[in-house]
Amino acid sequence: MTFSVAATAESIAAVPVSIPAPAVVSGSSAATEKGRCAGCSVRSKGLCAALPAEELPELSAASRTINLLSSTPVVLEGAEADSVFTVVSGMLKLYKTLPDGRQQITGFATAGDVIGLAVGEAYAYTAETVTASTVCRAPRSALHRLMERRPAVQARLLAMTSVELSAAQDQILLLGCKTAVERVASFLLALSRRSRPLPDGCPSVFLPMPKVDIGAYLGLRPETLSRVLRKLEDAGAITRLTNDRIRLDDAAALEATATLAA
């Protein structure tokens, strides 16, 4: 299971339009942008993984790295969609706003995830930074030109779409069939696969988002989430190292718990 909202193949044909640029802490200058893509830490994870080295200068010229504070919107639900964003570092939450103003969290995007692949002319969700983050913004028109010349980029998008659709199905299973303990175990395992292990090799997860957001994603009340985490800790499956870092002491036990409903 991944943590970004599923893109669709229809995204390829979306019409380029415009939204205001997000507020930034700082952005790279044109001079420092040259050759930036060649040394990007997430090049192997995003759409640009399908590009050969000779295509990277054009992408570097068309895109821009943006450093963002926490709680900064990157895309806004309903806004005109003209850009695609790759998360370089940090974490974003993706959500839809209900008519009464409540937020339904639909995912969490981390390094390498691509957001903004909207269906049609508007973004279908809001993406907001959870932590200070860096994103790479590319105009949709530039992406379309690359797709026309490089079918491998389109194939990469379709492959990423397939993964995200599978993740959406997993999320339906999680919310519809799994117990609270099974949901939390599934969530921790999925996030650990996208996180670096501790120096001793033990898997861990970074949870900078508030419990209300995790609970909204898992369909649990914050107090239920806290109770389940305590239960897993008492069972020796996890250790809470800090408020936002959890070590997975018994990944096999978590795996067994997470698959009970499958």
Side-chain angles (χ1 to χ4, degrees), residues 54-76:
E54 61 267 23
E55 296 279 2
L56 294 180
E58 178 182 347
L59 184 61
S60 294
S63 60
R64 185 187 178 196
T65 299
I66 307 174
N67 300 317
L68 302 162
L69 295 170
S70 61
S71 302
T72 300
V74 177
V75 304
L76 296 173

Side-chain angles (χ1 to χ4, degrees), residues 1 35 132 147 152 164:
M1 180 172 67
M147 286 182 176
E164 295 302 336

Side-chain angles (χ1 to χ4, degrees), residues 54-237:
E54 61 267 23
E55 296 279 2
L56 294 180
E58 178 182 347
L59 184 61
S60 294
S63 60
R64 185 187 178 196
T65 299
I66 307 174
N67 300 317
L68 302 162
L69 295 170
S70 61
S71 302
T72 300
V74 177
V75 304
L76 296 173
E77 181 180 356
E80 292 181 321
D82 73 336
S83 297
V84 176
F85 300 82
T86 299
V87 182
V88 178
S89 66
M91 178 179 287
L92 284 68
K93 68 175 180 179
L94 314 179
Y95 63 89
K96 295 182 71 68
T97 303
L98 303 179
D100 61 4
R102 289 179 296 160
Q103 295 179 4
Q104 174 59 57
I105 307 293
T106 57
F108 298 97
T110 57
D113 284 332
V114 178
I115 60 175
L117 293 170
V119 177
E121 298 184 356
Y123 293 119
Y125 56 86
T126 295
E128 180 182 303
T129 56
V130 175
T131 65
S133 304
T134 299
V135 299
C136 181
R137 178 177 183 169
R140 192 179 302 275
S141 56
L143 182 60
H144 288 171
R145 288 194 298 270
L146 287 172
M147 286 182 176
E148 290 173 357
R149 292 202 311 273
R150 295 286 179 178
V153 177
Q154 182 171 334
R156 175 74 172 174
L157 173 60
L158 292 176
M160 295 176 73
T161 297
S162 177
V163 171
E164 295 302 336
L165 289 175
S166 177
Q169 292 175 334
D170 287 344
Q171 182 68 2
I172 293 172
L173 172 65
L174 181 146
L175 294 175
C177 301
K178 293 191 173 185
T179 66
V181 175
E182 291 162 358
R183 294 180 194 185
V184 174
S186 297
F187 177 72
L188 294 177
L189 285 168
L191 197 54
S192 72
R193 297 184 188 109
R194 302 172 62 85
S195 304
R196 291 182 179 180
L198 296 171
D200 62 2
C202 191
S204 70
V205 295
F206 179 51
L207 300 174
M209 65 288 270
K211 287 182 179 178
V212 65
D213 284 351
I214 300 174
Y217 177 70
L218 296 176
L220 300 173
R221 294 181 179 274
E223 54 269 26
T224 302
L225 175 63
S226 295
R227 185 166 60 251
V228 170
L229 289 173
R230 285 196 300 270
K231 181 177 180 178
L232 291 174
E233 189 166 24
D234 291 343

